[in-house]
Amino acid sequence: MGEKSKNTLLFSSSIILLLLSLSAAVSTPFQLQTLVPRTLPSPSTLSGQDSELESDSLVETSDLDTVNSNTTLEVQLELHHVDAFSSEEIPERLFDLRLQRDELRAETINSLVAKAVARNPPRAPGRRSGFSSSIISGLAQGSGEYFTRLGVGTPPRYLYMVLDTGSDVVWVQCSPCKKCYSQSDPIFDPTKSRSFSGIPCGSPLCRSLDSSGCNQRRMCLYQVSYGDGSVTFGDFSTETLTFRRTRVGRVAIGCGHDNEGLFVGAAGLLGLGRGRLSFPSQTGRRFNQKFSYCLVDRSASSRPSSLVFGDAAVPRAAMLTPLLTNPKLDTFYYIELLGISVGGIRVPRITPSLFKMDQAGNGGVIIDSGTSVTRLTRPAYIAMRDAFRIGASNLKGAPDFSLFDTCFDLSGKTSVKVPTVVLHFRGADVSLPATNYLIPVDGSGTFCFAFAGTMSGLSIIGNIQQQGFRVSYDLAGSRIGFTPRGCE
């Protein structure tokens, strides 16, 4: 038998097996849900200042609530999508840029994990090797998708900060600038803050950096190198951060005087990862080690997304799944994906073994706020995609678009029926709304299945699939929660 005939037979056999498995569940009718097609969203515009927040910078700090190690408070902030910094661009161009950022971020996450796994033994924190050999401890240029406004210093100066569950170090651009990128707010001046304090070289905080150094006054310097070669460098210090009217003192932050190529528009980054120097790790008991966010579907709502710190971050209705730990890398949030259902039927070729992390730290599944499109290890993606194509065979097909290989022409449609999709995590079955997996990619009615395959063993749950859920990070309980309709 010729090679072509063999391939045809194998393909036909796999389709037949899939059809048989789907038809075997006769007691469970194939489940569909309604999608109302919407066009690509135009970016919201920033007012430049939040009058309530800006007024805080003029009040005495005694009027602010201070969070110390013996106090637990709750804070809620608004989140904005990074596209708001480019409101003059057309939606199609913004979507293209988003996919470009997404590809860079996914590649960098995989590179970071591969390098961490290859290091044996793991790098000891604080090794004084200088900056020339600093490890990659951040992510690709411009990869932060959401940002919020918070106060830095005393009195607080309110700045836009990118939020990122995939990195740890908190940093902000500082004057004097050796090299600073363009941001929407004035550069932070540490000499005008009463709470700014340098960190001595020998302190535990300085030793916690992956790459640290000392200046002539024996004060700590930091450097974070990102996947595209960009870098932030400057003084490592402690400073007060203000979230609306709640003040959090002595947070270790980088005061960057040389910042090249990072996060144009925002003033810096609030690291929300699991590492020692992330904001959740530093604040610890002050917010009961809990935070959450809810990302709205930007094509369906003008409401902003939200970020919550404290006990309210984990609603009672949350479906909870345990957090796993990568022995080689502490930044990312790993969870256990057991399988996927399409149309109410478990896809038979998607087994837990496809998503398992081995003892060396390879593979596994992470959830990430800065990756848009969910990447599944390729065998799982192909099985899921094929099942979805069969269930959506009534829809008119459209050409591939960028990284998407399953697209449909929904022009002129006011509503369509599409197969349901459920992600089965350990202890949590997350049923996705149709808008979380069939998304517009242009202005002419083309919608694509918003998943992609990866040759890497690492799978990433992206923020498109997280839309509308309150995603809770309970670090004290070592678990992740999903609450449907959590933005309401």
Side-chain angles (χ1 to χ4, degrees), residues 262-384:
L262 302 173
F263 304 114
V264 172
L269 183 143
L270 187 69
L272 296 177
R274 295 177 77 182
R276 297 176 300 275
L277 291 175
S278 74
F279 182 76
S281 296
Q282 288 194 58
T283 55
R285 289 173 296 177
R286 290 180 276 189
F287 291 113
N288 277 347
Q289 294 184 287
K290 296 172 184 175
F291 74 94
S292 68
Y293 54 74
C294 195
L295 310 176
V296 301
D297 177 2
R298 294 180 302 121
S299 65
S301 174
S302 59
R303 292 176 299 145
S305 302
S306 64
L307 173 72
V308 175
F309 291 99
D311 287 334
V314 187
R316 291 184 179 180
M319 299 176 291
L320 299 168
T321 186
L323 268 172
L324 305 180
T325 300
N326 188 328
K328 295 293 187 71
L329 190 64
D330 59 5
T331 296
F332 298 128
Y333 293 94
Y334 283 83
I335 52 180
E336 190 174 3
L337 182 59
L338 302 176
I340 299 173
S341 290
V342 174
I345 302 168
R346 290 286 282 257
V347 181
R349 287 183 289 159
I350 300 181
T351 60
S353 61
L354 293 177
F355 305 114
K356 197 168 184 62
M357 177 170 50
D358 64 24
Q359 292 183 341
N362 295 298
V365 179
I366 67 171
I367 183 166
D368 181 42
S369 66
T371 301
S372 290
V373 177
T374 289
R375 265 84 170 172
L376 299 176
T377 188
R378 189 153 182 79
Y381 170 70
I382 291 174
M384 178 193 191

Side-chain angles (χ1 to χ4, degrees), residues 119-435:
R119 270 201 320 270
N120 192 21
R123 175 188 293 268
R127 192 171 78 180
R128 298 303 174 86
S129 56
F131 293 126
S132 60
S133 61
S134 61
I135 67 167
I136 296 174
S137 52
L139 294 172
Q141 175 182 1
S143 62
E145 289 289 296
Y146 291 88
F147 60 93
T148 192
R149 196 158 176 81
L150 55 88
V152 180
T154 306
R157 303 296 174 184
Y158 281 85
L159 307 169
Y160 287 118
M161 299 279 282
V162 169
L163 306 173
D164 191 359
T165 59
S167 57
D168 296 321
V169 175
V170 181
W171 61 266
V172 63
Q173 291 201 113
C174 286
S175 62
C177 283
K178 179 180 178 181
K179 188 168 185 179
C180 287
Y181 59 84
S182 175
Q183 66 178 57
S184 61
D185 295 298
I187 302 291
F188 178 70
D189 184 351
T191 64
K192 295 182 179 179
S193 170
R194 298 195 300 271
S195 50
F196 183 87
S197 179
I199 296 174
C201 274
S203 72
L205 278 174
C206 192
R207 292 197 299 268
S208 294
L209 287 163
D210 287 322
S211 181
S212 61
C214 299
N215 63 18
Q216 293 178 342
R217 295 178 290 110
R218 301 297 298 166
M219 302 303 286
C220 189
L221 300 174
Y222 83 99
Q223 175 174 303
V224 177
S225 300
Y226 289 79
D228 65 339
S230 300
V231 67
T232 174
F233 166 79
D235 301 311
F236 203 48
S237 57
T238 59
E239 184 56 286
T240 293
L241 301 183
T242 302
F243 298 79
R244 291 195 178 273
R245 300 186 68 88
T246 299
R247 185 175 57 180
V248 184
R250 294 194 59 78
V251 178
I253 71 169
C255 188
H257 301 291
D258 188 345
N259 316 286
E260 302 182 30
L262 302 173
F263 304 114
V264 172
L269 183 143
L270 187 69
L272 296 177
R274 295 177 77 182
R276 297 176 300 275
L277 291 175
S278 74
F279 182 76
S281 296
Q282 288 194 58
T283 55
R285 289 173 296 177
R286 290 180 276 189
F287 291 113
N288 277 347
Q289 294 184 287
K290 296 172 184 175
F291 74 94
S292 68
Y293 54 74
C294 195
L295 310 176
V296 301
D297 177 2
R298 294 180 302 121
S299 65
S301 174
S302 59
R303 292 176 299 145
S305 302
S306 64
L307 173 72
V308 175
F309 291 99
D311 287 334
V314 187
R316 291 184 179 180
M319 299 176 291
L320 299 168
T321 186
L323 268 172
L324 305 180
T325 300
N326 188 328
K328 295 293 187 71
L329 190 64
D330 59 5
T331 296
F332 298 128
Y333 293 94
Y334 283 83
I335 52 180
E336 190 174 3
L337 182 59
L338 302 176
I340 299 173
S341 290
V342 174
I345 302 168
R346 290 286 282 257
V347 181
R349 287 183 289 159
I350 300 181
T351 60
S353 61
L354 293 177
F355 305 114
K356 197 168 184 62
M357 177 170 50
D358 64 24
Q359 292 183 341
N362 295 298
V365 179
I366 67 171
I367 183 166
D368 181 42
S369 66
T371 301
S372 290
V373 177
T374 289
R375 265 84 170 172
L376 299 176
T377 188
R378 189 153 182 79
Y381 170 70
I382 291 174
M384 178 193 191
R385 177 202 65 190
D386 290 349
F388 188 84
R389 284 177 175 177
I390 291 171
S393 59
N394 60 311
L395 300 180
K396 182 182 178 181
D400 297 355
F401 184 95
S402 185
L403 75 168
F404 302 126
D405 64 5
T406 300
C407 299
F408 304 93
D409 179 3
L410 303 185
S411 57
K413 302 286 187 182
T414 56
S415 69
V416 294
K417 294 291 186 180
V418 298
T420 58
V421 174
V422 180
L423 305 179
H424 299 287
F425 300 101
R426 183 169 296 281
D429 295 329
V430 178
S431 180
L432 301 180
T435 50

Side-chain angles (χ1 to χ4, degrees), residues 71-111:
T71 307
T72 57
L73 288 180
E74 296 173 357
V75 174
Q76 180 165 338
L77 301 172
E78 290 186 353
L79 300 183
H80 305 274
H81 194 268
V82 70
D83 286 352
F85 282 126
S86 305
S87 56
E88 71 282 356
E89 294 279 5
I90 62 172
E92 288 82 357
R93 171 62 177 162
L94 289 175
F95 186 72
D96 182 58
L97 291 172
R98 186 181 188 184
L99 293 183
Q100 291 180 37
R101 292 194 304 267
D102 214 45
E103 192 64 29
L104 277 173
R105 186 177 181 96
E107 289 175 1
T108 308
I109 288 176
N110 282 303
S111 174

